């Protein structure tokens, strides 16, 4: 005889509400499919082709068209690159250039961002618009202008040096006539000009990003630090920088990736691929692939090595961010 306190029995084979699995909403994943398909077609498929090419000996355009076979050589291209002393020179040039440019871009961009944050609304709008002109200028167009500025006959820099008093020019530089002086002939001077061009084109993005981050920092924190007697330098390092550390981390990674892949500026300033002492990985890959005789497989292997280096840099940053979140 059942009572009111008896627990109803659960039918066999049925799940109680507690045992039911939560329903997964598949709609967001379906909405992502078109984007993933586009990424796969535009990025993953070409990347896979480059990796596949790096394992073959490709010295003819007909091979790329599919008219001839692709001889499989395995890791021979990679062994040839990694054992070449010139590759170590190119890698050194790339790393040193990237380190210098990332540091200068971050410093200049941060300073400009701090300046824009302190200016009034109208002046900040005017200065910000002027700064963003450099970012909006295509890399090819801007580099052509900078190459004219350093032209050895009619360039602005040549004109300025020729305008110096002869005595001062002779005392400082050991010459008085700068017409015909090759500003791009010395590797050190070439990299200095290339750094100037790249930093000029890159720092506006850093400045605007830092400015956006500064707008999110509560002004009360800065005021409290000033009340405690902290100066501008201490306020930045003790208040602003810790709060914007994720922003700076992302900007450093992006700048590193962009500076490792610099190609257009170097190609235009050098006038092609003849200046081998100033080679970096991007133009080295292009030169090996397309300079006669073409070696497409070797160029593809260099591109894969560059991609792996950038993946390591990105992975290091992601690991650092995850570690900070755990702490």
């Amino acid at each position: 005889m059942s009572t009111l306190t008896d627990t109803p029995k659960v039918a066999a084979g049925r799940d109680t509400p507690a045992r039911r699995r939560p329903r997964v909403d598949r709609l967001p994943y379906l909405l992502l499919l078109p984007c993933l398909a586009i990424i796969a077609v535009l990025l993953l498929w070409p990347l896979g082709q480059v990796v596949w090419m790096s394992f073959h000996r490709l010295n003819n355009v007909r091979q790329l068209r599919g008219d001839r076979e692709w001889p499989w050589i395995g890791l021979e291209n990679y062994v040839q690159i990694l054992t070449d002393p010139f590759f170590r020179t190119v890698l050194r040039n790339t790393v040193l250039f990237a380190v210098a440019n990332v540091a200068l871009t971050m410093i200049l961009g941060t300073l400009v961002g701090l300046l824009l944050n302190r200016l009034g609304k109208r002046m900040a709008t005017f200065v910000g618009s002027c700064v963003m002109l450099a970012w909006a200028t295509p890399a090819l167009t801007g580099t052509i202008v900078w190459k004219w500025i350093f032209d050895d006959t009619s360039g602005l820099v040549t004109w300025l040096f020729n305008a110096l008093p002869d005595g001062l020019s002779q005392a400082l530089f050991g010459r008085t006539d700068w017409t015909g002086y090759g500003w791009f002939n010395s590797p050190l001077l070439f990299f200095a000009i290339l750094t100037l061009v790249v930093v000029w084109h890159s720092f506006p993005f850093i400045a605007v990003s830092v400015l956006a981050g500064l707008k999110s920092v509560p002004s009360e924190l800065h005021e409290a630090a000033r009340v405690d007697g902290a100066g501008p330098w201490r306020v930045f390092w003790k208040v602003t920088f810790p709060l914007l550390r994720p922003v700076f981390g992302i900007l450093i990674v992006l700048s590193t990736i962009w500076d490792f892949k610099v190609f257009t500026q170097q190609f235009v300033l050098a006038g092609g691929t003849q200046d081998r002492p100033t080679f970096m990985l991007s133009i080295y890959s292009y030169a090996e692939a397309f300079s006669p005789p073409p070696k497409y497989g070797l160029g593809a292997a260099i591109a894969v090595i560059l991609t792996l280096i950038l993946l390591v840099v990105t992975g290091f940053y992601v690991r650092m961010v995850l570690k900070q979140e755990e702490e």
Side-chain angles (χ1 to χ4, degrees):
M1 185 175 179
S2 62
T3 62
L4 294 175
T5 57
D6 290 342
T7 304
K9 295 181 180 180
V10 179
R14 292 184 180 179
D15 293 337
T16 62
R19 294 182 179 178
R20 291 177 183 173
R21 296 179 179 178
R23 185 177 179 181
V24 178
D25 189 2
R26 295 183 175 85
L27 180 59
Y29 301 97
L30 294 177
L31 295 176
L32 287 175
L33 283 179
C35 296
L36 295 177
I38 294 175
I39 292 175
V41 172
L42 297 181
L43 294 179
L44 298 183
W45 172 252
L47 179 61
Q49 286 291 96
V50 171
V51 174
W52 183 247
M53 289 171 59
S54 67
F55 296 112
H56 297 80
R57 180 179 290 108
L58 303 174
N59 301 325
N60 198 299
V61 178
R62 294 182 179 179
Q63 291 177 298
L64 299 181
R65 292 202 301 255
D67 298 337
R68 293 185 180 182
E69 295 183 357
W70 292 20
W72 174 269
I73 59 175
L75 298 176
E76 184 176 324
N77 285 327
Y78 293 96
V79 173
Q80 181 178 346
I81 294 168
L82 296 176
T83 56
D84 186 2
F86 183 65
F87 171 75
R88 292 191 287 271
T89 301
V90 173
L91 183 61
R92 181 200 62 195
N93 291 344
T94 306
V95 172
L96 293 178
F97 176 82
V99 170
N101 277 264
V102 169
L104 293 174
T105 303
M106 292 299 301
I107 293 173
L108 182 59
T110 302
L111 292 176
V112 174
L114 292 171
L115 173 64
L116 293 174
N117 190 49
R118 294 180 64 90
L119 293 176
K121 185 176 180 180
R122 292 185 178 179
M123 184 57 67
T125 302
F126 173 74
V127 176
S129 301
C130 295
V131 167
M132 288 305 295
L133 287 176
W135 174 256
T137 303
L140 177 61
T141 305
T143 307
I144 291 175
V145 173
W146 279 104
K147 189 172 184 179
W148 168 79
I149 291 175
F150 286 93
D151 186 77
D152 58 356
T153 56
S154 58
L156 178 62
V157 173
T158 301
W159 177 83
L160 289 174
F161 275 82
N162 281 329
L164 292 174
D166 292 345
L168 180 61
S169 180
Q170 182 67 34
L172 294 178
F173 307 106
R175 61 184 300 160
T176 58
D177 185 12
W178 293 89
T179 302
Y181 182 77
W183 297 101
F184 304 104
N185 294 340
S186 169
L188 182 60
L189 194 54
F190 175 84
F191 276 116
I193 298 173
L194 180 61
T195 298
L196 175 63
V197 175
V198 173
V199 170
W200 169 82
H201 189 261
S202 304
F203 86 90
F205 176 77
I206 306 297
V208 173
S209 301
V210 171
L211 176 61
L214 290 172
K215 295 298 183 182
S216 65
V217 177
S219 59
E220 295 81 4
L221 297 178
H222 290 163
E223 294 175 0
R226 295 190 189 98
V227 170
D228 292 338
W233 181 257
R234 190 173 181 81
V235 169
F236 175 79
W237 284 110
K238 296 299 182 180
V239 178
T240 306
F241 182 76
L243 294 175
L244 298 185
R245 186 173 296 172
V247 176
F248 283 116
I250 294 174
L251 293 176
I252 289 174
V253 171
L254 291 177
S255 297
T256 302
I257 293 174
W258 293 335
D259 292 336
F260 260 88
K261 297 191 304 178
V262 166
F263 175 82
T264 303
Q265 294 91 333
Q266 183 175 15
F267 187 86
V268 173
L269 291 179
T273 59
Q274 295 80 18
D275 194 7
R276 290 180 65 85
T278 62
F279 268 18
M280 292 189 292
L281 285 174
S282 293
I283 201 165
Y284 181 38
S285 173
Y286 175 86
E288 292 295 330
F290 297 104
S291 296
K295 298 181 283 292
Y296 302 112
L298 200 63
I302 299 172
V304 171
I305 293 174
L306 174 59
T307 303
L308 292 176
I309 293 174
L310 296 179
L311 287 176
V312 170
V313 173
T314 306
F316 175 78
Y317 167 73
V318 172
R319 181 180 178 184
M320 182 181 65
V321 170
L322 294 177
K323 186 176 180 180
Q324 290 178 353
E325 291 181 353
E326 291 177 356
E327 294 177 354

